[in-house]
Structures are given as C-alpha cells and as structure tokens.
C-alpha cells in the first residue's frame, strides 16, 4: 500500500536530549514537509524539501534539523535547543509540478506525539 | 510573511444545514488550494483541492475559489454529525516556491 509512515507514534524526550522522528513515503512524491501542531492550533511549518539534499526553513525552524538523503525519507531531529518541544508532529508529501508553481494534494502520515518528561 | 487566514470559530450548525467555511490568503501568486478535515487527535485528511477560479463540487462538498479576492471557501451541504471536525485551509506560495501554508482551522460542530 502506498502512503506515508511516521514513527514512532509516541515519543518521550528527557530534558537536553536530541530525538529523531522518522518519515518515509512510497508515493514517489517530490516534496516533503514537517509541521508542528499544538493543542487547538493550526499547522506550523518547520522545514520542507523539494529534492534530495535540498531543504528550506519554514516558519519555526529554530531548534530543529532535517536531512533529505533519499527521496523517500525526510527525518526530523528535535534538538535540545528546542525549549518547548511537546507537540504533535506531522509529516506530509506531495508532487510538485516544476515550472507551473503547483503542488498537487499533500497527504499526511499518522503523526508523532512528542512529550518532554 | 505569506499567510492563510480562516474565519474564527467555532461554527455550529444543525444537522441537514449548509456549513460555510471561509479562508483568505495573502500571496497573489498562490496556485494550489486545499481543504482538509481533522478529527481530534488524528492527522488531517484531504477533502478538496482547487486550482482554478470558480466552483468545484464533490458529493456534499463544494470548494469555491476567487483569485481576484484571494478567497477560498468550502460549503458542506446536508451537514451530518460525522462532519464535526476542524477544517483546515491550505495554500502554496507562488512562483517556484512550493511552501504549503495552513490556516489555524475552524472547528465545526453539527448538532443532531
């Protein structure tokens, strides 16, 4: 089945720890995205990537890092510099129509709930 | 900063009524617009995409796009209690930027 897989579903982080959230897609999508959602809030963009080895900072990139070594994978590391990391993290992917400025529909993984303990 | 704004909720409608959800965007170059539904504790699921001015219908859902007014709306006809969820509007940034930005969402409650 094609789709986006995020793991783990739940993650607990101790103070000062770095943790990495996994996102894998087998939809052959070009673009991948990481969003953060806090209770009662919309989705805020952390990082996004169009092609392998290239990514852009979103609106709230501080304290986060990403890599895009493979088209299928876009892991997010929450570093110790992120002072308030407790949130619901969502990964998404879509096709990107080069030269037309058009995204096709983005599909989401099931999310990872990160809690600081 | 390019933004997507949604009308503040929550929105409450009786079962069988039409629910109207609105969204404005600031980037005139945006070309792709989406409506997502998100149930509490779950990830967003796509309802509609729209790329051209006018209306697009899919079952009980109709998306409307007016690029001149930078306005996108979603109408839900014959609303059902199962439609109770948060609805998120999204738009990409124009030109070569594939950034996909979401609004804060509107919570819809359909009362039986």
């Amino acid at each position: 089945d094609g789709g986006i897989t995020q793991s783990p579903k739940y993650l607990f982080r101790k103070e000062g720890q770095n943790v990495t959230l996994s996102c894998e897609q087998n939809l052959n999508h070009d673009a991948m995205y990481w969003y953060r959602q806090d209770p009662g809030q919309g989705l805020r963009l952390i990082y996004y990537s169009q092609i392998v080895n290239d990514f852009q900072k979103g609106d709230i990139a501080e304290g986060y890092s990403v890599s895009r070594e493979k088209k299928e994978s876009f892991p997010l590391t929450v570093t110790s510099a992120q002072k308030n990391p407790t949130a619901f993290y969502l990964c998404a992917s879509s096709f990107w129509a080069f030269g037309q400025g058009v995204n096709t529909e983005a599909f989401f993984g099931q999310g990872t709930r990160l809690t600081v303990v | 900063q390019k933004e997507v704004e949604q009308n503040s909720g929550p929105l409450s409608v009786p079962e069988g009524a039409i629910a109207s959800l609105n969204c404005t965007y600031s980037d005139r170059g945006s070309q792709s617009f989406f409506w997502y539904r998100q149930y509490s504790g779950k990830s967003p699921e796509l309802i509609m995409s729209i790329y051209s001015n006018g209306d697009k219908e899919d079952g009980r859902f109709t998306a409307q796009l007016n690029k001149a007014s930078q306005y996108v709306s979603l109408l839900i006809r014959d609303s059902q209690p199962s439609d109770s969820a948060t609805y998120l509007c999204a738009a990409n940034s124009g030109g070569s930027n594939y950034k996909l930005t979401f609004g804060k969402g509107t919570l819809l409650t359909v009362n039986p």
Side-chain angles (χ1 to χ4, degrees):
Chain A
D1 288 335
I4 302 172
T5 302
Q6 288 187 243
S7 63
K9 188 173 182 180
Y10 298 96
L11 186 58
F12 298 90
R13 190 192 96 166
K14 294 182 180 179
E15 295 282 351
Q17 249 186 354
N18 291 354
V19 292
T20 298
L21 284 59
S22 172
C23 179
E24 303 275 335
Q25 55 97 0
N26 60 4
L27 301 168
N28 199 31
H29 283 169
D30 310 293
M32 297 188 74
Y33 305 83
W34 273 106
Y35 294 91
R36 167 180 173 146
Q37 188 173 38
D38 294 284
Q41 300 295 312
L43 277 62
R44 292 186 291 167
L45 184 61
I46 304 173
Y47 270 98
Y48 55 114
S49 169
Q50 181 182 13
I51 57 174
V52 171
N53 294 323
D54 184 65
F55 45 83
Q56 308 294 326
K57 290 184 178 180
D59 301 315
I60 56 164
E62 185 175 352
Y64 300 96
S65 66
V66 293
S67 63
R68 187 88 186 272
E69 297 178 0
K70 298 187 299 182
K71 185 176 183 178
E72 303 79 21
S73 178
F74 192 41
L76 173 74
T77 296
V78 184
T79 74
S80 57
Q82 172 51 240
K83 298 306 179 187
N84 186 22
T86 295
F88 187 38
Y89 290 87
L90 289 158
C91 179
S93 70
S94 74
F95 281 116
W96 167 247
F98 291 90
Q100 298 177 34
V102 175
N103 290 84
T104 62
E105 295 89 347
F107 296 96
F108 284 85
Q110 293 305 300
T112 294
R113 291 197 181 278
L114 175 62
T115 303
V116 174
V117 296
Chain B
Q1 185 169 345
K2 311 298 184 184
E3 293 186 348
V4 176
E5 303 280 349
Q6 294 187 238
N7 54 327
S8 59
L11 177 64
S12 182
V13 300
E15 184 174 355
I18 296 175
S20 177
L21 302 160
N22 303 313
C23 174
T24 59
Y25 60 95
S26 62
D27 185 354
R28 284 200 168 273
S30 294
Q31 300 286 343
S32 310
F33 306 91
F34 309 98
W35 283 99
Y36 288 82
R37 176 175 61 197
Q38 186 178 27
Y39 293 113
S40 181
K42 303 295 185 182
S43 62
E45 54 181 331
L46 181 72
I47 299 176
M48 295 282 286
S49 59
I50 188 164
Y51 302 94
S52 304
N53 278 330
D55 295 357
K56 179 180 178 182
E57 186 174 320
D58 184 1
R60 296 186 296 111
F61 299 96
T62 299
Q64 299 173 316
L65 174 61
N66 183 327
K67 290 186 177 180
S69 301
Q70 296 177 241
Y71 177 86
V72 191
S73 67
L74 179 70
L75 298 178
I76 306 174
R77 292 182 300 280
D78 188 24
S79 296
Q80 301 297 310
S82 59
D83 294 327
S84 298
T86 296
Y87 289 80
L88 298 164
C89 174
N92 79 325
S93 295
S96 60
N97 194 335
Y98 55 99
K99 181 180 181 181
L100 190 60
T101 302
F102 283 78
K104 292 186 177 180
T106 300
L107 177 61
L108 172 66
T109 300
V110 180
N111 301 303

